[in-house]
Every structure is written in structure tokens, then in C-alpha cells.
Amino acid sequence: MTGRIHELNVAKTTVGRVEDNTFQIAEPSVSSHHCEIEMRGSDVVIKDLNSTNGTFINGEKISERVLKVGQVLRLGQVEMRLETEGATSGAPAPAPAPAPGSKKAVESTMVMQRGVSLNELEKGTRTTGFDTKGTGFSKKEDKANKVFVMVGVGIGLVIVGLLVYVFLIAGK
């Protein structure tokens, strides 16, 4: 996405991963509806839309804030810089200083594996992923089904017993 430009020529621009956004960013770390960019007079206001990975201005997490020219806006792993017309330069945005108490600044976009192959699911293993113990996938036992069947069989036996008892008493 390096070098991509989006002009803010409408009052409200929605930004996110899915196609119904005004500005689509097809990157897994960007939420489907990540944030909203609103023009309020000469101010450019960024509003986070409860995104999963957060919206940051110069490394500081925001819920709603004015974005100034030259500041870096980060959505998930994607960084952007607000520029005025004619001020675009080929130079990359300066790395934002991390906010106090925040995690390490993002150095580059991370490539993430998207999904699991059918073979991995069938074997119950996975070579990479989020689990740190290396346990992979495991099949769960369906205890609820077993209990349901056992209770059903028990109730059936009670009903048969009652029917036999009723017929024996009726036969006397």
C-alpha cells in the first residue's frame, strides 16, 4: 500500500477492510469498519469505530481526535500520514514516538497466515499459529451427546417398566 493516496473530498469517509467503506484497506489487522474521518471546517477528525486493533495518532491510542498535517495515523498494522495538497513527498513518514506505557512501535507490516488448510484440520495439527505450547488442534469429546443418550435410555426403561407394571395389575 506504499504510495497510495486517498483524497478527503467528502464530509465523512469510512475506513475499513470491507468493500462498503469509502476507503477500503484490505489488510487483516484493519477492522471491517475501523474508523471514520470527518471534515469539520478545516479540522480532520478521526473517530475509532470500536476497532479490534485500535486507532492511533503518532503512537497514541485515540477514540476521537483531530489529525493534523504531518501526523501519522495507524490502523492495525497500516500507517498513513495526513498531507496537504502539493505537500506529498516520496519520503516515508517518520516513525512515531511511542506513547508512555504503550507497546513497542510498529516497524513494518506483519504478514499473517490467513486460515488453516483442510489437511491440518483432519490431522489435528498445525505447524504455526497462536498456540505457544505446540499442542495444535485437538478434537473435543462430545460429553453432552453421551449424557443425552444415557438419560434417554434411562427414561425409556422407566416407561417400559411402568407399562409392564400397569399391564400386570390390569391383568389381575
Side-chain angles (χ1 to χ4, degrees):
M1 294 189 59
T2 303
R4 185 171 170 191
I5 295 172
H6 182 81
E7 289 187 34
L8 300 173
N9 51 13
V10 292
K12 200 176 275 191
T13 301
T14 57
V15 182
R17 193 179 63 247
V18 295
E19 292 177 8
D20 67 348
N21 288 289
T22 314
F23 182 44
Q24 181 186 10
I25 302 174
E27 211 294 322
S29 66
V30 176
S31 292
S32 56
H33 296 97
H34 200 102
C35 73
E36 193 173 79
I37 302 172
E38 187 176 349
M39 301 299 293
R40 292 185 192 159
S42 62
D43 288 339
V44 177
V45 179
I46 309 297
K47 180 180 178 186
D48 183 73
L49 299 176
N50 296 318
S51 62
T52 303
N53 292 319
T55 301
F56 299 81
I57 294 179
N58 282 355
E60 186 178 336
K61 189 170 184 170
I62 59 110
S63 56
E64 184 172 324
R65 183 158 311 153
V66 173
L67 178 67
K68 296 182 177 141
V69 174
Q71 287 186 319
V72 175
L73 172 66
R74 179 166 56 91
L75 312 177
Q77 297 291 323
V78 177
E79 290 184 344
M80 298 171 268
R81 183 178 57 225
L82 179 64
E83 297 178 341
T84 58
E85 194 172 352
T88 58
S89 66
S102 70
K103 294 182 181 178
K104 179 183 162 196
V106 176
E107 294 174 8
S108 63
T109 300
M110 192 171 90
V111 177
M112 296 176 62
Q113 184 176 349
R114 297 182 86 180
V116 180
S117 75
L118 185 57
N119 289 338
E120 288 174 329
L121 285 175
E122 288 173 350
K123 292 178 187 172
T125 60
R126 185 173 182 179
T127 55
T128 61
F130 297 108
D131 59 357
T132 56
K133 298 176 186 173
T135 57
F137 294 110
S138 61
K139 292 184 178 181
K140 287 185 177 180
E141 274 193 43
D142 197 357
K143 292 180 182 176
N145 238 357
K146 289 180 183 177
V147 170
F148 181 74
V149 169
M150 289 175 20
V151 168
V153 168
I155 291 173
L157 288 173
V158 169
I159 291 172
V160 168
L162 286 173
L163 287 174
V164 168
Y165 178 74
V166 168
F167 285 125
L168 287 176
I169 292 183
K172 289 185 179 180

